[in-house]
Amino acid sequence: MNMNEPPHGAPAYAARRQRLSHAMGAGVAVIPTAPERTRNRDSQYPYRFDSYFFYLTGFPEPEAVLVLVAGESPRSILFCREKHEEREIWDGFRYGPPAARERFGVDEARAIERLDEDLVTLLADQPSLFYAPGADADWDARVMRWLNAVRAQARTGVSAPAQIHDVRTLLDEMRLVKDAAELATMRRAAGISAGAHQRAMRAVLPGRFEYEIEAELQHEFRRHGAQFPAYWPIVAGGANACVLHYRDNDAPLRDGDLLLIDAGCELDGYAADITRTFPVNGRYSGAQRAAYELVLAAQSAAIAQVRAGNPWNAPHDAAVRVLAQGMLDLRLLSGSLDETLEKETYRRFYMHRTGHWLGLDVHDAGEYKHGGNWRALGPGMTLTVEPGIYLRAAHDVPAEFHNIGIRIEDDVLVTDGDCEVLTRNAAKSVADVEALMRDGKH
Ligand code: GLY
Ligand code: MN
Ligand code: MN
């Protein structure tokens, strides 16, 4: 990490901090980043900042805390590590408070060692404290020590915050509607991830192993500068595709099986989340094709429902209706459509929901209901649309469908009109997938 600007440019983060201060009205917000985590003995997991903290700062280092003082003259204070020549020789660059203030556009930056002492002063005579209660027991205890230290000064006339609010309630609503800079990053993350799926389709051959295909995905993510996979990739051949959170990625790919890949990169903190399901030998069999076309039709029906003003659940309802009818048509279920929907018998083969919010977290922040009702979709919201069908071997499932697991997942942006499919560059129709697998071999 060098002396970079934050990925969206300092003014974009200042605007988000200003909106948060405005929403707070008055009081002090404390938003720490994530700690470094040990993997084993002296090895750390790759460092990943806290999403809330990064949303408001773009600051990439651990041991940092953002403090916002709202009110008539709002200000932002970033607590971060001081420069340290020896540690920088071993572990790399640190901004240090003066450069952090300049590059990240906060009003002030201070050494992280000052946090406890300074917070006692900053919280004095403030009406309220905003933080994330319960997110971390150590932070809860630390915050209580600050509050008790402020209370201990009562006889000098100082008052402690009377109210504690969960700052996530405000931040989740902000994060749900992406700004222009976030959307630009998400489009890039989606494009890189779509390219990785295309690359995987070109690389698959019977006899290759799932991990070889995983390596193709990771190569494509990294060579475009994406820092991480947004979640552990699922590369699931044959029956493995019926394990929803399959992670082993260690089996050989067999001629005649399908391969389900659920993978997306994280770019500058933002996730993409794509699933494609395609034949190991490049041609869908009759049963595979019938099931695939069904999931594709369900996905199209769901995507058509991603419109501003529609309730969150409209895409799910549309997908379920198509899938349930298809399960009846394919004789996977019997009975009427109404009965299948009412008794939810389709859930044997489609047991998850059709999507989730997407952003800094792959399952992103934001409520799905308001006052007991599904909330309305609005422009700037980003979500996945990911119906599937999972047909384990069973005596009452026709043999030709055994061990077929299919999911098709795209990332979409709600607009004033038709939604924008951010991941549209990953081949999806039977014709496009088969053509890519036939003509795209290296
Ligand atoms: N890859 C996680 C999900 O699809 O929700
Ligand atoms: Mn996914
Ligand atoms: Mn998903």
Side-chain angles (χ1 to χ4, degrees):
M1 176 61 65
N2 293 310
M3 288 281 275
N4 291 327
E5 301 280 327
H8 296 161
Y13 300 89
R16 293 177 201 151
R17 291 192 294 271
Q18 201 170 21
R19 284 176 54 212
L20 176 59
S21 292
H22 187 76
M24 289 161 61
V28 173
V30 179
I31 299 148
T33 196
E36 294 177 286
R37 295 181 205 275
T38 303
R39 183 168 185 274
N40 58 307
R41 205 180 289 260
D42 293 336
S43 291
Q44 309 274 315
Y45 282 103
Y47 180 68
R48 170 56 157 75
F49 40 74
D50 174 78
S51 296
Y52 292 107
F53 173 85
F54 195 76
Y55 176 72
L56 294 168
T57 62
F59 192 68
E61 293 181 18
E63 297 184 80
V65 177
L66 176 69
V67 175
L68 283 185
V69 183
E72 277 173 18
S73 48
R75 62 199 168 112
S76 53
I77 308 167
L78 178 67
F79 289 84
C80 66
R81 301 181 302 192
E82 301 235 57
K83 290 203 68 73
H84 190 302
E85 192 174 343
E86 194 196 343
R87 290 269 36 109
E88 290 184 60
I89 287 171
W90 286 88
D91 295 328
F93 175 80
R94 302 173 171 198
Y95 282 90
R101 188 184 70 76
E102 190 201 324
R103 293 286 159 147
F104 294 83
V106 285
D107 297 319
E108 274 185 60
R110 301 182 187 175
I112 188 70
E113 288 76 15
R114 289 176 52 180
L115 186 73
D116 291 314
E117 197 180 321
D118 287 9
L119 256 294
V120 177
T121 311
L122 286 164
L123 288 171
D125 293 326
Q126 289 288 342
S128 41
L129 167 64
F130 294 76
Y131 87 111
D136 181 285
D138 290 342
W139 276 104
D140 284 342
R142 200 162 175 181
V143 166
M144 291 310 142
R145 282 199 296 276
W146 301 337
L147 289 174
N148 284 335
V150 182
R151 286 189 195 108
Q153 299 170 357
R155 268 169 292 145
T156 67
V158 168
S159 71
Q163 295 176 27
I164 296 180
H165 302 283
D166 194 330
V167 72
R168 291 171 295 192
T169 311
L170 302 175
L171 282 171
D172 287 352
E173 285 302 298
M174 287 175 60
R175 283 177 53 185
L176 180 55
V177 179
K178 274 64 181 175
D179 62 33
E182 294 184 284
L183 290 175
T185 302
M186 289 185 71
R187 286 191 183 97
R188 287 177 55 215
I192 294 168
S193 303
H197 280 261
Q198 297 265 107
R199 180 174 170 141
M201 287 178 202
R202 287 195 293 263
V204 163
L205 282 176
R208 292 212 167 138
F209 281 77
E210 291 166 346
Y211 53 74
E212 293 182 74
I213 309 307
E214 180 193 318
E216 298 285 338
L217 298 163
Q218 301 273 24
H219 186 168
E220 195 68 11
F221 294 164
R222 276 307 271 157
R223 85 188 187 94
H224 289 289
Q227 291 84 356
F228 303 107
Y231 51 92
W232 195 256
I234 297 171
V235 182
N240 295 336
C242 294
V243 179
L244 293 179
H245 293 160
Y246 178 71
R247 317 194 162 77
D248 293 344
N249 297 356
D250 62 356
L253 299 172
R254 294 190 324 197
D255 198 348
D257 277 353
L258 290 175
L259 173 61
L260 181 154
I261 296 181
D262 184 344
C265 72
E266 180 178 302
L267 178 71
D268 295 339
Y270 288 80
D273 183 6
I274 304 180
T275 309
R276 291 290 184 267
T277 311
F278 51 94
V280 169
N281 65 15
R283 300 277 297 177
Y284 293 90
S285 74
Q288 289 168 352
R289 183 177 175 137
Y292 187 84
E293 297 277 20
L294 172 58
V295 176
L296 198 53
Q299 202 216 23
S300 299
I303 289 175
Q305 291 299 319
V306 179
R307 304 195 75 83
N310 274 3
W312 162 261
N313 219 37
H316 179 69
D317 288 342
V320 160
R321 218 178 161 79
V322 173
L323 286 170
Q325 182 61 55
M327 290 172 196
L328 295 168
D329 297 343
L330 296 176
R331 303 193 181 287
L332 298 164
L333 295 176
S334 54
S336 70
L337 179 61
D338 284 346
E339 194 182 26
T340 306
L341 294 173
E342 195 186 324
K343 294 189 178 154
E344 300 187 347
T345 45
Y346 61 84
R347 289 188 60 164
R348 177 174 170 203
F349 304 121
Y350 180 49
M351 58 297 275
H352 61 76
R353 298 196 53 85
T354 303
H356 48 83
W357 304 127
L358 181 74
L360 282 163
D361 297 318
V362 65
H363 292 180
D364 205 34
E367 292 204 310
Y368 292 91
K369 283 192 172 180
H370 270 332
N373 296 316
W374 296 112
R375 74 184 306 157
L377 298 174
M381 296 179 183
T382 46
L383 57 140
T384 67
V385 183
E386 51 177 304
I389 195 166
Y390 310 93
L391 306 169
R392 288 168 174 269
H395 67 88
D396 56 346
V397 170
E400 57 184 347
F401 289 112
H402 285 188
N403 298 322
I404 289 181
I406 295 169
R407 179 164 63 258
I408 305 174
E409 174 173 30
D410 282 295
D411 304 342
V412 301
L413 163 66
V414 185
T415 73
D416 286 321
D418 293 342
C419 69
E420 178 182 333
V421 181
L422 304 175
T423 47
R424 60 188 169 278
N425 289 341
K428 186 161 70 170
S429 71
V430 166
D432 285 353
V433 169
E434 290 189 347
L436 179 65
M437 295 188 73
R438 186 177 59 241
D439 304 331
K441 294 283 176 217
H442 301 296

